[in-house]
RNA sequence: GGCCCCGUCGUCUAGCGGUCUAGGACACUGGCCUUUCACGCCGGUAACACGGGUUCGAGUCCCGUCGGGGUCACCA
């Protein structure tokens, strides 16, 4: 078995000495030149937010070191259509700008990058492991193996497999096969000593070999299992840093065993805590959305998303439309830098105050040593805060670009000529910070439709127009005024209204709320004069007429 | 249950023995601004899981307890 040679210098990290001086990077002689990291998704059909974080950290590490980030597809156990199930994952990464140097779609020197197509490598590795005595053919049935384990558990003994059905020679194997048995290949794990390695986020790790079972690495049908395939690929691809979720921590000793038995360098490991549910320490799961929806913050984000996709006539099944998945954010109109920045800070921080990172700053500042060890729970509300920040940073033309597809899909805009862009731009400017996600533009749909198709808030109409005795009179007087307005700019309109208020000796509140409801159908919206300017004189007059008519109807109805 | 990991405001976190009567951010909340809403500005509530050590001194080191989580597959 080859001695573990600690390779590579991990990115310099000031906090690293917390693990003891002997693990300081300076003490590790690096003879690999670059950093190679990987993310290995299973083609599940969706991209989980926790997976993105893991991928992001891997990507960051590679980019920082000028190394490579590799996407490998763990589809050894896949029944469904792989390419179909992979698409959302690749799309998600592309959307977020997490690009890979090798993998699906881009190829690379170690192709193929699908485990289902790498069986030859795994079989060769199994051969090698068998030859050097690190693995053996086990002819026990699954039941026989389980029975031994359970009896050990019952007696509260450490389970030490008897290896009774181990075939050490071909003739033994033939004999077992004659009995109708078939073999799996198991790791012949050491039974004394410890497996020690340094976890780049957790520090020195030590596991007693005796607690490790003889894991199966190859099924009876000859196909390989995860632990083997993963290690073989990491060796083949020259992976230097294995950064993955903590559920793999317990797999690490057996993988270290395989690395060593294969005579390969053991990569650096870094185990990230999982992303937890909002307000809990449980692992975030896409299936538990119904439960998360009881959380008001989560629900708010979700409901807003639903409203947007319904307006654009898109489907929103829980399979893809779920705030646990990145597809959700893409559909609703979040910005990739917001997602990346939020995820960066979920389990990592630079210091006590830096919150916002450009792509370059992220790459420059990231370090495994500052990754937090405890689970971090996902807070959609905080993600929204980052989104609001990045949306606000966007130049108006970029916002228009972001918003236009929503207007088109909702059928509010049919062509994107210059005039349309100009009009949308005015709304975007007026909406200002009310536009948090691109899909929010649909809240202002009434600027795009005829009077008859406005969505009206009836209670606002009642409160602001029907109830106040003077509202109707004031509105019709104001209407007369704007018919003759010299121009229809916000500034002129504001001046007109102020004159109007002075002339009738009223407070501005007495007219402006009624005016807003009359013109927009709603009690809330952006600046009144900007609203009027955008609507233009004709539409304002038309909507005022229609409001007055509706008032008349309401009055006669109550009079009866 | 065995083995392993984790435990600072509701949440994300700073903290590496004195600078911590614990700092920042999100959320919540009081006020200001204001034609509504949003933004913005000023302020507030709110945390070292518990118990023992070590030390002149512990959020920080050690031990234990409790709590949370992972893993013990011919899944990944």
């Amino acid at each position: 078995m080859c001695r573990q040679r600690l390779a590579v210098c991990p990115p310099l990290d000031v906090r690293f000495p917390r693990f003891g001086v002997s693990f300081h990077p300076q003490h590790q002689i690096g003879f690999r030149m670059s950093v190679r990291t990987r993310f290995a998704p299973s083609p599940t059909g969706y991209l989980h937010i926790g997976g993105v974080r893991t991928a992001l950290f891997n990507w960051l590490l590679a980019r920082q070191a000028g190394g490579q980030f590799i996407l490998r597809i763990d589809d050894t156990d896949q029944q469904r259509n792989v390419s179909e199930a992979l698409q959302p994952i690749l799309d998600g990464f592309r959307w977020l700008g997490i690009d890979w140097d090798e993998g699906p779609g881009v190829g690379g020197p170690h192709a193929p990058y699908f485990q289902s197509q790498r069986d030859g490598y795994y079989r060769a590795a199994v051969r090698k492991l068998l030859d050097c005595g690190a693995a053996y053919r086990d002819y026990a049935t699954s039941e026989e193996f389980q029975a031994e384990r359970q009896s050990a558990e019952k007696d509260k003994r450490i389970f030490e497999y008897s290896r009774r059905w181990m075939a050490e020679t071909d003739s033994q194997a033939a004999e077992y096969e004659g009995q109708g048995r078939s073999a799996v290949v198991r790791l012949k794990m050491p039974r004394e000593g410890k497996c020690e390695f340094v976890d780049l986020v957790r520090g020195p790790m030590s596991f007693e070999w005796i607690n490790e079972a003889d894991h199966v690495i190859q099924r009876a049908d000859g196909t390989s299992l995860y632990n083997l395939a993963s290690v073989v690929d990491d060796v083949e691809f020259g992976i230097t840093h294995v950064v993955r979720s903590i559920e793999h921590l317990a797999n690490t000793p057996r993988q270290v065993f395989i690395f060593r038995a294969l005579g390969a360098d053991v990569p650096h490991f870094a185990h990230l805590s999982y992303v937890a549910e909002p307000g809990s320490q449980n692992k975030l799961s896409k299936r538990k959305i119904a439960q998360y929806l009881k959380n008001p913050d989560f629900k708010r984000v979700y409901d807003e998303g639903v409203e947007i996709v319904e307006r654009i006539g898109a489907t929103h099944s829980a399979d893809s439309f779920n705030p646990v998945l990145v597809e959700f954010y893409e559909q609703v109109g979040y910005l990739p830098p917001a997602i990346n920045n939020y995820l960066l800070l979920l389990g990592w921080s630079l210091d006590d105050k830096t919150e916002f990172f450009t792509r370059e700053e992220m790459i420059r500042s990231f370090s495994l040593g500052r990754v937090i060890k405890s689970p971090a729970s996902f807070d959609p509300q905080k993600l929204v805060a980052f989104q609001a920040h990045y949306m606000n940073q966007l130049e108006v033309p970029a916002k228009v670009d972001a918003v236009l597809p929503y207007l088109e899909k909702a059928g509010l805009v049919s062509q994107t000529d210059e005039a349309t862009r100009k009009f949308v731009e005015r709304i975007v400017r007026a909406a200002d910070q009310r536009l948090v996600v691109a899909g929010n533009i649909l809240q202002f749909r009434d600027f795009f439709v005829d009077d008859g198709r406005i969505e009206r808030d009836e209670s606002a109409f009642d409160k602001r127009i029907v109830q106040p005795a003077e509202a109707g009179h004031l509105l019709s007087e104001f209407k007369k005024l704007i018919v003759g307005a010299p121009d229809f700019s916000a500034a002129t309109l504001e001046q007109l209204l102020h004159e109007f208020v002075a002339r009738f000796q009223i407070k501005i509140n007495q007219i402006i709320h009624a005016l807003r409801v009359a013109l927009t159908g709603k009690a809330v919206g952006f600046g009144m004069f900007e609203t009027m300017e955008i609507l233009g004189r004709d539409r304002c007059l038309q909507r005022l007429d229609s409001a007055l008519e509706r008032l008349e109807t309401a009055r006669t109805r109550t009079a009866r």
Side-chain angles (χ1 to χ4, degrees):
Chain A
M1 200 182 296
C2 109
R3 197 176 68 84
Q4 173 179 354
R5 286 180 296 174
L6 283 177
V8 193
C9 20
L12 193 63
D13 176 358
V14 290
R15 278 215 343 194
F16 205 71
R18 75 182 180 186
F19 300 147
V21 70
S22 62
F23 299 114
H24 191 281
Q26 304 284 311
H27 294 223
Q28 299 179 349
I29 312 302
F31 41 95
R32 280 182 186 137
M33 291 314 289
S34 70
V35 167
R36 287 171 65 81
T37 63
R38 46 76 162 177
F39 181 69
S42 293
T44 50
Y46 55 86
L47 221 204
H48 190 279
I49 208 102
V52 179
R53 187 188 63 155
T54 304
L56 176 68
F57 286 10
N58 273 285
W59 179 81
L60 251 12
L61 207 58
R63 290 289 168 268
Q64 177 176 78
Q68 292 83 40
F69 172 62
I70 297 154
L71 214 52
R72 178 235 287 169
I73 309 307
D74 282 14
D75 57 349
T76 53
D77 192 47
Q78 216 60 36
Q79 271 93 42
R80 55 199 290 185
N81 182 330
V82 171
S83 75
E84 196 178 288
L86 185 58
Q87 207 51 50
I89 296 171
L90 301 184
D91 289 346
F93 283 134
R94 286 193 188 106
W95 178 62
L96 290 168
I98 297 177
D99 54 345
W100 55 100
D101 304 293
E102 297 173 30
V106 300
H110 304 285
Y113 292 89
F114 290 81
Q115 290 195 323
S116 58
Q117 296 167 27
R118 302 181 57 79
D119 197 49
Y121 293 95
Y122 308 144
R123 285 174 194 266
V126 168
R127 188 72 263 159
K128 197 169 170 184
L129 260 15
L130 248 14
D131 289 346
C132 75
Y136 61 92
R137 280 170 292 174
D138 183 21
Y139 282 90
T141 62
S142 178
E143 292 73 30
E144 285 161 341
F145 181 86
Q146 293 305 331
E148 276 199 25
R149 214 198 57 198
Q150 281 160 12
S151 99
E153 273 172 23
K154 212 178 91 201
D155 304 346
K156 298 195 191 304
R157 281 182 287 117
I158 291 175
F159 171 48
E160 232 178 303
Y161 183 44
S162 68
R163 296 173 182 160
R164 270 176 59 197
W165 295 274
M166 170 169 76
E168 288 183 288
T169 61
D170 285 349
S171 65
Q172 234 178 324
E175 192 189 321
Y176 283 131
E177 272 161 34
Q179 296 169 16
R181 288 173 179 271
S182 54
V184 296
V185 177
R186 284 186 190 277
L187 252 17
K188 197 170 184 180
M189 299 294 283
R191 288 183 171 170
E192 54 191 32
K194 294 173 185 169
C195 173
E196 291 178 322
F197 59 92
V198 180
D199 187 293
L200 261 22
V201 342
R202 274 155 221 285
M205 292 287 125
S206 173
F207 296 83
E208 301 275 350
W209 282 123
I210 190 76
N211 292 318
E212 290 289 316
D214 287 355
H215 296 96
V216 175
I217 54 173
Q218 191 180 69
R219 297 183 182 95
D221 68 3
T223 56
S224 298
L225 260 9
Y226 168 75
N227 284 118
L228 192 260
S230 177
V231 171
V232 170
D233 289 339
D234 286 343
V235 172
E236 289 289 328
F237 295 169
I239 300 302
T240 60
H241 292 67
V242 174
V243 179
R244 57 181 16 169
S245 173
I246 193 158
E247 46 257 44
H248 292 289
L249 181 58
N251 291 333
T252 308
R254 76 196 67 150
Q255 294 190 356
V256 166
F257 176 80
I258 300 175
F259 275 112
R260 290 180 182 170
L262 253 19
D265 290 336
V266 179
H268 293 285
F269 292 103
H271 290 95
L272 271 23
S273 286
Y274 55 89
V275 175
E277 305 174 335
S280 119
Q281 296 291 85
N282 297 326
K283 192 173 159 184
L284 185 68
S285 160
K286 131 183 160 58
R287 284 183 301 275
K288 287 159 85 176
I289 178 166
Q291 180 193 322
Y292 304 157
L293 255 15
K294 291 176 191 158
N295 174 316
D297 292 343
F298 194 93
K299 188 170 185 334
R300 204 172 313 137
V301 169
Y302 176 77
D303 286 347
E304 184 183 65
V306 168
E307 191 187 322
I308 290 167
V309 294
E310 281 180 350
R311 285 188 190 276
I312 60 176
T315 55
H316 54 90
S317 70
D319 261 354
S320 62
F321 198 73
N322 180 332
V324 171
L325 310 177
V326 303
E327 291 93 310
F328 175 91
Y329 301 97
E330 186 177 0
Q331 280 193 71
V332 174
Y334 281 70
L335 263 9
I339 311 267
N340 288 334
N341 201 149
Y342 172 72
L343 255 17
L344 174 71
L345 261 19
L346 200 57
W348 180 86
S349 67
L350 177 62
D351 52 33
D352 59 344
K353 41 182 71 74
T354 315
E355 293 176 79
F356 300 111
F357 293 82
T358 63
R359 194 179 165 91
E360 289 67 35
E361 286 164 345
M362 278 186 202
I363 292 171
R364 199 179 334 121
S365 331
F366 183 74
S367 64
L368 286 174
R370 288 194 65 86
V371 170
I372 203 87
K373 294 194 257 186
S374 48
S377 57
F378 176 63
D379 178 2
Q381 202 62 44
K382 186 140 185 173
L383 204 178
V384 170
F386 277 98
Q387 168 63 22
H389 171 84
Y390 282 99
M391 192 57 129
N392 189 227
Q393 301 273 296
L394 227 52
E395 302 283 342
V396 170
K399 282 192 193 177
V400 172
D401 287 333
V403 131
L404 238 20
Y406 289 88
L407 294 170
E408 286 173 47
K409 285 185 205 150
L412 296 169
V413 146
S414 51
Q415 51 184 7
T416 53
D417 51 19
E418 226 7 68
T420 307
R421 278 192 70 96
K422 274 252 149 52
F423 183 66
V424 172
E425 183 178 323
R426 291 167 77 181
I427 293 169
V428 164
R429 278 187 198 282
D432 196 36
Q433 308 223 340
R434 292 168 188 81
L435 205 61
V436 174
V437 297
N440 285 154
I441 193 68
L442 300 176
Q443 288 169 8
F444 308 111
R445 69 178 284 284
D446 292 345
F447 284 100
F448 297 88
V449 300
D450 294 335
D451 182 52
R453 288 174 54 210
I454 290 179
E455 291 174 355
R456 297 180 193 282
D457 177 345
E458 293 305 333
S459 75
F461 188 82
D462 186 63
K463 182 179 171 198
R464 295 302 190 186
I465 297 181
V466 181
Q467 300 280 334
E470 78 285 5
H473 173 65
L474 291 173
L475 285 178
S476 53
E477 287 299 322
F478 187 65
K479 196 193 119 191
K480 289 178 197 156
L481 195 61
I482 60 173
V483 169
D487 66 82
F488 222 69
S489 70
T492 304
L493 289 163
E494 182 164 8
Q495 200 190 330
L496 279 179
L497 189 84
H498 283 302
E499 286 167 15
F500 180 85
V501 163
R503 175 148 57 92
F504 283 82
Q505 300 196 320
I506 55 169
K507 291 218 163 70
I508 196 166
N509 287 349
Q510 289 172 268
I511 171 81
I512 208 152
H513 295 302
L515 195 54
R516 178 182 303 283
V517 175
L519 294 176
T520 69
K522 297 183 190 61
V524 300
F526 42 70
M528 198 61 248
F529 307 108
E530 290 160 291
T531 301
M532 292 174 74
E533 181 185 314
I534 293 168
L535 283 172
R537 191 186 321 245
D538 292 349
R539 288 204 288 174
C540 282
L541 293 174
Q542 193 187 7
R543 291 185 184 196
L544 276 171
D545 280 337
S546 120
L548 289 169
E549 259 172 55
R550 282 152 39 78
L551 172 62
E552 201 54 40
T553 326
R555 285 264 159 81
T556 43
R557 200 184 302 136
T558 41
R560 245 187 272 144

